[in-house]
Amino acid sequence: MSKIATLEIGGKKYEFPIIEGTEKELGIDIKTLRGATDSVITIDPGYKNTGACESAITYLDGEKGILRYRGYSIEELAEKADFLEVAYLLIFGDLPKLEELAKFHADIKEQSVVDDDVKKILDAFPKTAHPMGVLSCLTSALTAFNPSTVDVESEEEMYKSTVKILGKFPVLVAWTMRKQKGLPLNYGDTSLGYVENIMKMMYEKPNEQYEQNNILLNALDKLLILHADHEQNCSTSTVRMVGSSHAGLYASLSAGISALWGPLHGGANQAVLEMLEAIKEDGGDTEKFMAKAKDKSDSFRLMGFGHRVYKNFDPRAKIIKVAADEVLADLGIEDPVLDIAKGLSEEALRDAYFVDRKLYPNVDFYSGIIYRAMGIPVEMFTVMFALGRLPGWIAQWKEMRMRKEPIGRPRQIYIGENNRPFIDIEKR
Ligand code: CMC
């Protein structure tokens, strides 16, 4: 196949190289388009056909339902690795050796204390504040307490900023949940595993010994792995875009958290549970809600269904569905909401509207059911997504900075008024 794409505009031909990825994906390299032509640009709202970068982190084939981090399948990682190993893999490119993982964890633990003044910022929020807003704010505030994390030019500086945020972010996540629940702020116990300590920080009560539940620990570890990266999604693109202006890592992450918050992205896990609850409250008539989802005059969408990239089963949803069944069985929980979820997905998978549009359950369809079984408040669900996505955001930000990518600055086609004379206010 020719490695050149030819574009004809007004009878004139222009040639552009076609680049090929390691999985044989093709992209037309239009870097010279505007300069070579009469300032012609491409228009692609929602970037449905636009590659923003070359990346060596995550490979995704939405047609075949494949997801791999650094070449390793998500199925194998979810089964065999733990979250910290996956974080290392994403950020540094290879699975860690035992001693590398031990050093990484020790360096993270060393950095896991948050300046006590951060508590004052948290204190100023009402208890009713949405945890994603609180988390975004606290993450941004970390820059003020750690100004050396802004000018990151070398691997060494990047490493320091990385272990700092991996140490402090779970504390912020746990404090956000504790604040909402009215629990005193704590620090857990860094002699525990990374995720184990997150659980302790989240659940520990001031008046009783915290006991680890291994079923929940394994479920959370798996969920975090499944959320750890997903190439150039909305929040990751935001992190890369903000970082491309050489804003610091934590400011970029804070922006990523805000992007993740929306119900079309990470906020879908909260929206799914709220939708399932609403269906239950309404009497459990799933067909009625299916009809609403298909009705173009109704803004209701089946939350947890459909994906920009997956036109097949989201491989993460398959793993989470099995995990949800296991967790509920192990804990002896019978959740009517799970039955509604099962009913909805079976109906949707048979329905021509969903089949024709290739709308399958996505990662968020089942994750909320596990979070709920874990006793995590529904408003915290997207915070849990952010906790999982953190290594991916760091890896992508690092890749963007280390490759010295230019500032992100799309163009536009102007469709407003042409030049017109100013009219004095009294004559308008
Ligand atoms: N319910 C009903 N119809 C839908 C849905 C849905 N959940 N998703 C897409 N459609 C329809 C849509 O109306 C359109 O129909 P038509 O061709 O007749 O106009 C067609 O399917 C294509 O949809 P689109 O909105 O053009 O697709 P998109 O790639 O722009 O949007 C999406 C992807 C995820 C935003 C969308 O599927 C959606 O809103 N899903 C529900 C929210 C959700 O679960 N989001 C979580 C995504 S996974 C977590 C993450 O990584 O962010």
Side-chain angles (χ1 to χ4, degrees):
M1 179 186 180
S2 157
K3 292 280 162 42
I4 297 288
T6 309
L7 176 69
E8 191 173 325
I9 308 172
K12 208 170 162 197
K13 288 189 177 167
Y14 303 90
E15 290 193 336
F16 300 96
I18 295 182
I19 57 166
E20 185 174 324
T22 43
E23 292 286 346
K24 311 273 178 240
E25 295 167 294
L26 301 179
I28 305 170
D29 178 350
I30 56 152
K31 279 197 229 59
T32 57
L33 172 65
R34 196 169 170 276
T37 60
D38 188 13
S39 299
V40 173
I41 61 165
T42 56
I43 282 282
D44 186 20
Y47 309 117
K48 291 192 178 190
N49 306 281
T50 297
C53 59
E54 291 173 64
S55 177
I57 301 170
T58 288
Y59 173 68
L60 204 170
D61 183 330
E63 265 69 35
K64 296 195 184 126
I66 294 174
L67 174 62
R68 294 185 204 129
Y69 299 159
R70 302 282 189 185
Y72 296 99
S73 81
I74 193 66
E75 289 81 9
E76 217 175 354
L77 289 171
E79 194 195 325
K80 298 180 182 160
D82 72 24
F83 178 57
L84 204 58
E85 265 180 290
V86 170
Y88 187 100
L89 170 70
L90 285 168
I91 298 167
F92 302 107
D94 274 313
L95 284 167
K97 297 190 176 79
L98 270 178
E99 61 276 15
E100 286 169 334
L101 188 62
K103 178 177 183 319
F104 187 47
H105 194 193
D107 292 340
I108 290 170
K109 287 195 271 192
E110 182 76 25
Q111 293 296 335
S112 62
V113 174
V114 174
D115 193 297
D116 224 41
D117 279 345
V118 173
K119 288 180 182 162
K120 293 184 195 151
I121 304 175
L122 184 62
D123 253 359
F125 280 99
K127 250 197 198 128
T128 50
H130 194 286
M132 283 298 275
V134 177
L135 186 67
S136 170
C137 168
L138 295 182
T139 306
S140 185
L142 281 184
T143 306
F145 295 96
N146 302 274
S148 65
T149 57
V150 178
D151 292 324
V152 172
E153 297 297 341
S154 66
E155 288 275 354
E156 196 193 337
E157 286 164 333
M158 186 68 224
Y159 183 79
K160 283 186 191 155
S161 300
T162 297
V163 291
K164 266 191 187 170
I165 193 68
L166 285 169
K168 296 178 205 308
F169 196 74
V171 178
L172 301 185
V173 164
W175 284 4
T176 304
M177 177 159 142
R178 295 182 76 82
K179 157 101 184 177
Q180 209 196 30
K181 287 189 154 183
L183 290 167
L185 304 185
N186 66 349
Y187 265 112
D189 174 358
T190 53
S191 68
L192 299 174
Y194 186 72
V195 177
E196 215 176 346
N197 192 34
I198 293 174
M199 302 254 314
K200 184 173 158 91
M201 286 193 285
M202 282 169 54
Y203 294 113
E204 189 175 44
K205 294 205 179 115
N207 55 353
E208 59 184 56
Q209 184 86 22
Y210 174 73
E211 273 183 41
Q212 193 66 62
N213 178 327
N214 284 331
I215 298 167
L216 298 188
L217 177 64
N218 289 334
L220 181 60
D221 207 70
K222 206 171 270 195
L223 280 170
L224 296 176
I225 290 173
L226 294 175
H227 285 90
D229 195 50
H230 212 234
E231 50 119 301
Q232 307 312 316
N233 56 84
C234 179
S235 57
T236 301
S237 302
T238 302
V239 169
R240 285 183 86 125
M241 172 72 96
V242 174
S244 78
S245 76
H246 291 200
L249 175 62
Y250 305 164
S252 309
L253 293 172
S254 167
I257 294 166
S258 296
L260 187 71
W261 191 355
L264 298 190
H265 189 13
N269 57 13
Q270 174 177 341
V272 168
L273 227 277
E274 286 167 351
M275 173 188 79
L276 295 174
E277 285 287 356
I279 298 175
K280 192 181 97 186
E281 291 302 307
D282 195 65
D285 183 356
T286 46
E287 277 177 26
K288 178 176 158 189
F289 285 83
M290 286 284 290
K292 270 165 77 61
K294 293 187 282 181
D295 180 354
K296 293 289 168 198
S297 63
D298 191 323
S299 62
F300 176 80
R301 279 191 165 196
L302 202 57
M303 299 314 285
F305 258 76
H307 198 277
R308 167 59 61 78
V309 187
Y310 291 120
K311 302 302 167 199
N312 198 325
F313 256 97
D314 179 338
R316 303 166 300 172
K318 277 192 194 167
I319 302 171
I320 294 186
K321 183 181 178 302
V322 174
D325 287 341
E326 280 168 11
V327 168
L328 297 192
D330 285 344
L331 297 177
I333 296 176
E334 281 183 25
D335 192 339
V337 152
L338 183 64
D339 296 333
I340 292 175
K342 277 186 185 150
L344 262 187
S345 66
E346 278 163 19
E347 278 171 48
L349 292 170
R350 282 194 305 262
D351 192 292
Y353 174 97
F354 288 86
V355 174
D356 292 350
R357 290 169 180 77
K358 299 187 173 158
L359 302 170
Y360 291 87
N362 59 49
V363 67
D364 289 326
F365 194 68
Y366 296 105
S367 60
I369 291 163
I370 306 188
Y371 290 139
R372 193 158 103 131
M374 296 177 79
I376 296 176
V378 71
E379 288 197 327
M380 280 293 295
F381 289 3
T382 318
V383 167
M384 301 314 290
F385 191 150
L387 181 64
R389 186 54 53 89
L390 180 67
W393 286 335
I394 298 171
Q396 301 272 352
W397 192 92
K398 178 182 174 207
E399 182 179 73
M400 180 272 306
R401 287 300 301 269
M402 296 302 144
R403 285 173 63 105
K404 303 209 181 304
E405 283 180 13
I407 184 167
R409 205 298 189 185
R411 291 209 172 242
Q412 62 165 23
I413 293 290
Y414 175 70
I415 56 163
E417 296 285 348
N418 293 115
N419 191 15
R420 49 183 176 164
F422 182 81
I423 304 166
D424 289 334
I425 195 159
E426 58 280 0
K427 292 191 188 145
R428 276 172 222 161

